[in-house]
Structures are given as C-alpha cells and as structure tokens.
Amino acid sequence: MSEPCNASTYTQPAWLKPIHLQGMLRGIERESLRMQANGFLSQQTHPQGLGSALTHPHITTDYSEALLEFITPPKKSIPEVLHFLQDLHSFTYQHLPQGESLWSLSMPCMLDDQEDHIPLAQYGNSNMGQFKTLYRRGLGVRYGRRMQTISGVHYNLSFPDALFEQLQQHDRNPEYQQLSLQDYRSLRYFGLIRNFIRRIPMVMYLLGASPTVCRCFVTDRQHNLQPLNKGTLYLPDATALRMGRLGYQNSAQRALGIHYNNLAGYLAGMNNAIHQPYPEFQALGLDDANGQPIQINDHILQIENEYYSLIRPKQPPQGNETPSQALAARGVAYVELRAVDVNPYSPIGINKDSAAFLEILALYCLMTDSPEISTQEQDLIEQNQENTVNTGRQVDLSIQTLQGKVKLQDWMVQQLDAMQSYAELLDVAQHSTLYRDALAVMQRRCQDVTQTLSAQMLQQTIALGGTWNFGAHLAAQYREFYANHPLRTETQQQLEQIALHSLAQQQQLEAQPQPDFSEYLRPYRTLVENI
C-alpha cells in the first residue's frame, strides 16, 4: 500500500498473531487544574500531603502550581492503567484544600485579568528546582501564561520486541533487514508517528472535547470565536480548540522544520532549535531589571520539552541525559500520543473506549506503509488539522490528501473499517472485547455527529448556561464520586509512603552542596557557542 490515506486495499499481514502483541505496555499522563469554589484558579501552594512535586513519580505539577499532573507507570492492560490513575485521583482529592475541586475540561476555568495571578509551579530551592520554575517563567514570557493553563492527556504506548523482530523478518526492504533491532524499531516507530500525524483529523473528530472556551481565556488575544452565552465563546462546529491556534502554537516552532522522516533528521532538527537564537526571544532579554533570570536562554527552544508536537518519540533518559541524548543512545522505546483532549465525562479525564481506540490506531499506524512526509503533504496535514479543529462537525467537510479531496466522514469510515481486524487481534491478545467495543463507539460517532464528545459538550454547555457552569457541574459530580470511592487500605498506605519519600528526597537534594544558580545556568546560555 503506497497511499497513506487510502485504506481500501489494505489487508492485515497473515503472519501477525496475538502472541506478537503480548507485552504491550501503556501509561497515561493527565493534567488538571485545581479550582477554587468560586471558579477561579487556585492560588494555594501544592498540597503538602501529595508530597514533593519535584521528586514524586506519580503526582506532580505541570506549568502552574495549580496545574496537577498525574503520571502512571507502564501497565500491561488498559483496566490496570485506568485503575492506577483513578487511585491517584482519589488520593489527591483527600488532600485538596477546603473548597477546591479538579477542573474537568481541557480549556481552563475562570482566569482574572492579571496573568501574574497564574502561579508558576515551585520546586524548592535546589538548582534543579529553580531551573524547572525558570523554564516555566520563560514559557510565560514567550507565549503568555494563559496558554499554559490548557490541560490534556498524553498516552504512552510501546510494542514488544517480538513484534518488531517479526516485522523485520518479513520486511521486503533488504537494507532494513540488515539493521540492528534497535535501529529497526526506531525506523518503524517513526513510521507510526508519520501515519498518526496523517490521521490527526480522525483523532480531533472522535476524541476532541474543547468546542468552547471561557471568555477570560482570550483576554487581549485576537480570535475568530463567536459568543455562545454570557462568558462563553465557541465555534458552532468546533471539535478541539485546544489543538488549534488558540492552543499550543507559535510561529517560531512552525518555522523549525523538524520532521519525522527518520531519527537522525529529527535529532538534528531538535539540536538546531536548542542552539539557535531567535530574534523575538532575544528582544525579551534574559534577565529582568533586577538581574533575575526570566528565561533560560533566548533560543528557539529553551529546552527540548518546549517543542509542542502531536506525538513524540521517547526513550527514558538515564542519569543526566537529555531526551535527545537518550534517543541517540538507545533509539525509540515508546511513543507519546499528545493530541488528546481531556474527556470531561470521565472522572480521570480518559475512559476505556478512548484508550482502546488510541491503541488500535497506533497499531494500525505501525503496520501500514508510511512514506516520508514531503513539504507539500505537511502543508496539507496542517490545513486538515486546522479545518477539523474549527469545523470538524460540519456536514460535508472535506480534507485534502496528495491524491485530492475526500469527504472527512467517508475517509474516517474507511480508516475505521481497516482497523477492525486489529481490534479483533488486540481483543484476543488481551482476552477481552474492549477493543471491538471501542471501535464500535467510534463508528457510531462517525456516523452520527451528535454522538461526538464535542457535540454533547456543546449541548450541555448551552443547557447549563455556559462553560463555567458546565465545568462546575462536572466538578461537583466528581467530588462526590471520589467521596464515595475510598482507596483500599493497602493502596492508601503505599501512596502515603511515596509522598513522604518524595519529600525526603527533595530535602536530601537541597542539603547537598550546589554551585550558585547563575553558574548552574551558564551552560544553557552558552549553548550557541557549542554548535
């Protein structure tokens, strides 16, 4: 199959068996704002009972002190990973300050006129902790703090080496058969990444859950949103405004030219972005009037994590490795699917149907041909994403492929049909009906636009009188849900121990002799000299 958007001629390889999928691992990272009873962002510090945000492996903060991030370890099944995520939420609800709730939407709750009232995440006085806060200060200076309050779900997925070994054995390219398993695995993961990017319109339509925003989010920003009711803006057929121009977008990164055609090219692009000064960021300055740093450096990217992407190749760093150094040393270990809105209808932000669909889609993307993405195709992909974000539920909406225009609904039906055999294979491997059930849910959403998350959200937002009322209604439901779902005693004790251990780790780190922070920061500011 040479056409990445045409599934009509695709057939699953006969050699692929359920045993090749045993050993898949998945993990979830979910972000959620802490909200005060009056609907505004929490101004209180990270709850002490949750441990140290710097060293806790599962409960930390993202951009803001009020933006929690829950991180599961890799798990062997979807029920296991969802159960662990629910335990983290249940434990967190025990330690929220009086009157606080977790906001259940991707787009933030009420923000006041002062961006400084969005508190930066704090990680203590170690150099590492100060560095993490400075990175966030730089993001605010560069892009504004409001943008950083958007929440999402990241789905991490790895396939077993047994699958890659079989893929390589049956690969028709003799050059690929000569690669080491590490290099071949990376090559195939990059093929998955390219195909996932090509199929982003389907992800936006089926999982998009941000058709509205609170008016306060676009204070002092140009936009094309329409008033829905008091305090709420929207687009009538929007699916995922979080993934559009109001979300994590900036002109500097759009001009980077970082592509996913191979690992070497990707690493070269990242290296250039980390080392290359950017005039707009240079104009901001490195320090404030008092000599305090306001950004790590004035390069296109302060550090690699600043690169906003739909999906990332990942390899766990060892020691002081950067993400790129880890990838260069050991290749791709898993992929991080980042284009997923928080599902407001789940108390943990994601449900089994979304998780199973993402795994089916990832396997499908891995197993299908994946030509390199040309500049022409990249332009089409970006336009398709923007159109689906803004007008994805519009009747007769079309997307553009290299072969021409195709109706979005017809294209999605074709793709979902081609995924059916993979859903069946995954069910056999997991002894479940989870994957077939999930695909059936997505097929219904495809056939009936009112079944989409974004359509349901819009209907309830109107019925309840606005985005804030809708979000507050859900927050109250989930607060009650966790009050009635206490943790098992053993789990409670384990999470309490992890929290205490993380606090001890931070204290130990801060007790160690450290250079002055300006000295710690110096290598990051002189990177341009080391190209």
Side-chain angles (χ1 to χ4, degrees):
M1 173 184 143
S2 60
E3 162 48 39
C5 289
N6 181 7
S8 60
T9 60
Y10 175 73
T11 56
Q12 182 180 298
W15 58 262
L16 183 60
K17 305 297 180 186
I19 193 172
H20 299 134
L21 302 178
Q22 292 177 1
M24 283 177 59
L25 294 173
R26 71 279 297 148
I28 299 173
E29 303 167 33
R30 186 264 168 114
E31 301 156 349
S32 183
L33 290 167
R34 288 192 289 123
M35 176 187 70
Q36 302 177 73
N38 63 2
F40 284 91
L41 195 67
S42 172
Q43 298 297 303
Q44 298 197 48
T45 58
H46 187 64
Q48 178 84 359
L50 297 180
S52 165
L54 178 65
T55 54
H56 198 296
H58 306 306
I59 303 174
T60 183
T61 50
D62 192 84
Y63 176 77
S64 172
E65 191 76 348
L67 182 54
L68 289 171
E69 183 173 8
F70 305 96
I71 305 169
T72 76
K75 294 292 184 179
K76 294 180 180 180
S77 71
I78 289 174
E80 285 182 86
V81 77
L82 295 182
H83 184 75
F84 192 98
L85 188 59
Q86 183 171 309
D87 283 349
L88 294 179
H89 281 70
S90 183
F91 184 75
T92 296
Y93 266 88
Q94 298 174 20
H95 297 281
L96 291 180
Q98 183 67 31
E100 284 194 3
S101 302
L102 296 183
W103 184 246
S104 300
L105 310 182
S106 273
M107 302 308 285
C109 52
M110 294 169 66
L111 307 171
D112 63 30
D113 292 337
Q114 301 299 315
E115 283 216 343
D116 286 348
H117 291 171
I118 301 172
L120 298 176
Q122 302 295 317
Y123 300 97
N125 57 25
S126 68
N127 282 334
M128 182 189 301
Q130 292 184 70
F131 184 83
K132 288 171 72 72
T133 298
L134 175 58
Y135 166 59
R136 286 152 175 78
R137 179 170 288 113
L139 294 177
V141 168
R142 292 174 172 213
Y143 317 118
R145 294 192 181 188
R146 294 178 191 277
M147 188 178 85
Q148 310 299 325
T149 61
I150 298 172
S151 301
V153 172
H154 300 167
Y155 202 87
N156 301 316
L157 188 64
S158 69
F159 294 96
D161 278 350
L163 176 58
F164 291 105
E165 289 168 353
Q166 287 296 314
L167 274 168
Q168 187 171 20
Q169 182 179 326
H170 289 87
D171 201 302
R172 291 169 293 181
N173 188 325
E175 292 183 13
Y176 293 166
Q177 291 186 355
Q178 302 304 313
L179 295 174
S180 67
L181 179 60
Q182 173 181 308
D183 290 343
Y184 186 77
R185 183 174 58 234
S186 295
L187 180 144
R188 293 304 297 237
Y189 270 130
F190 268 82
L192 184 165
I193 289 169
R194 293 192 296 274
N195 276 338
F196 183 83
I197 292 170
R198 289 177 170 115
R199 291 168 175 84
I200 276 299
M202 183 161 52
V203 179
M204 300 295 94
Y205 177 91
L206 294 173
L207 303 185
S210 50
T212 70
V213 302
C214 284
R215 185 182 298 273
C216 60
F217 180 73
V218 294
T219 300
D220 299 327
R221 291 186 66 181
Q222 292 186 337
H223 61 83
N224 63 338
L225 303 179
Q226 304 173 21
L228 178 63
N229 47 34
K230 183 179 180 180
T232 297
L233 301 173
Y234 84 124
L235 290 176
D237 297 304
T239 58
L241 294 176
R242 165 182 170 268
M243 298 303 301
R245 294 191 179 276
L246 289 176
Y248 287 103
Q249 304 280 332
N250 69 82
S251 57
Q253 294 193 19
R254 280 198 296 273
L256 278 178
I258 294 179
H259 297 299
Y260 297 94
N261 289 333
N262 54 67
L263 177 57
Y266 173 79
L267 293 176
M270 290 295 293
N271 184 65
N272 179 64
I274 293 165
H275 291 80
Q276 185 66 43
Y278 187 63
E280 185 175 322
F281 299 154
Q282 287 179 306
L284 298 171
L286 293 175
D287 305 319
D288 64 17
N290 297 318
Q292 296 301 309
I294 60 172
Q295 54 179 336
I296 293 173
N297 52 49
D298 52 19
H299 305 156
I300 297 175
L301 302 179
Q302 297 176 94
I303 58 175
E304 293 178 41
N305 288 345
E306 189 173 335
Y307 181 54
Y308 306 135
S309 53
L310 302 169
I311 178 173
R312 282 179 180 168
K314 301 282 283 190
Q315 170 66 245
Q318 297 177 1
N320 294 321
E321 282 182 327
T322 66
S324 284
Q325 288 170 342
L327 283 170
R330 296 179 298 285
V332 184
Y334 65 96
V335 287
E336 179 186 32
L337 313 180
R338 299 166 52 82
V340 185
D341 280 356
V342 172
N343 183 342
Y345 298 109
S346 166
I348 56 175
I350 184 172
N351 65 12
K352 65 183 189 312
D353 294 327
S354 296
F357 168 70
L358 288 170
E359 294 192 10
I360 301 165
L361 175 59
L363 179 59
Y364 175 59
C365 289
L366 178 70
M367 296 301 299
T368 50
D369 285 353
S370 185
E372 293 189 352
I373 295 177
S374 65
T375 301
Q376 178 189 4
E377 187 179 11
Q378 183 62 40
D379 291 342
L380 296 179
I381 287 170
E382 292 176 4
Q383 188 61 55
N384 289 338
Q385 179 180 343
E386 183 176 353
N387 290 343
T388 310
V389 160
N390 293 329
T391 59
R393 287 180 285 108
Q394 191 176 85
V395 177
D396 294 331
L397 177 67
S398 295
I399 61 171
Q400 295 281 352
T401 74
L402 291 174
Q403 281 62 44
K405 184 183 296 186
V406 59
K407 187 177 176 183
L408 175 62
Q409 186 177 18
D410 293 342
W411 176 77
M412 289 191 297
V413 167
Q414 188 182 64
Q415 300 291 318
L416 292 172
D417 286 347
M419 293 182 205
Q420 185 66 46
S421 61
Y422 289 112
E424 295 169 359
L425 199 70
L426 285 162
D427 273 330
V428 174
Q430 289 284 336
H431 308 290
S432 74
T433 63
L434 181 60
Y435 296 92
R436 282 169 291 176
D437 293 345
L439 203 60
V441 169
M442 301 307 156
Q443 288 169 330
R444 287 195 293 272
R445 290 180 187 174
C446 184
Q447 294 160 2
D448 181 1
V449 69
T450 66
Q451 298 293 310
T452 59
L453 296 176
S454 55
Q456 293 178 52
M457 288 179 65
L458 187 56
Q459 182 183 30
Q460 286 194 271
T461 299
I462 294 171
L464 292 171
T467 296
W468 150 241
N469 290 336
F470 174 52
H473 171 74
L474 292 172
Q477 281 187 339
Y478 298 148
R479 189 165 53 242
E480 182 178 356
F481 172 86
Y482 284 108
N484 295 321
H485 288 78
L487 288 169
R488 292 181 295 110
T489 301
E490 180 182 1
T491 303
Q492 179 78 29
Q493 293 173 346
Q494 288 174 344
L495 290 176
E496 287 174 352
Q497 283 300 116
I498 293 173
L500 290 172
H501 181 63
S502 71
L503 291 170
Q505 283 182 300
Q506 179 175 335
Q507 292 172 357
Q508 183 179 17
L509 181 65
E510 292 175 349
Q512 295 173 357
Q514 300 179 77
D516 184 79
F517 184 62
S518 61
E519 291 299 314
Y520 181 87
L521 188 59
R522 188 184 305 277
Y524 295 93
R525 291 191 161 179
T526 57
L527 280 172
V528 70
E529 300 172 5
N530 301 325
I531 297 180

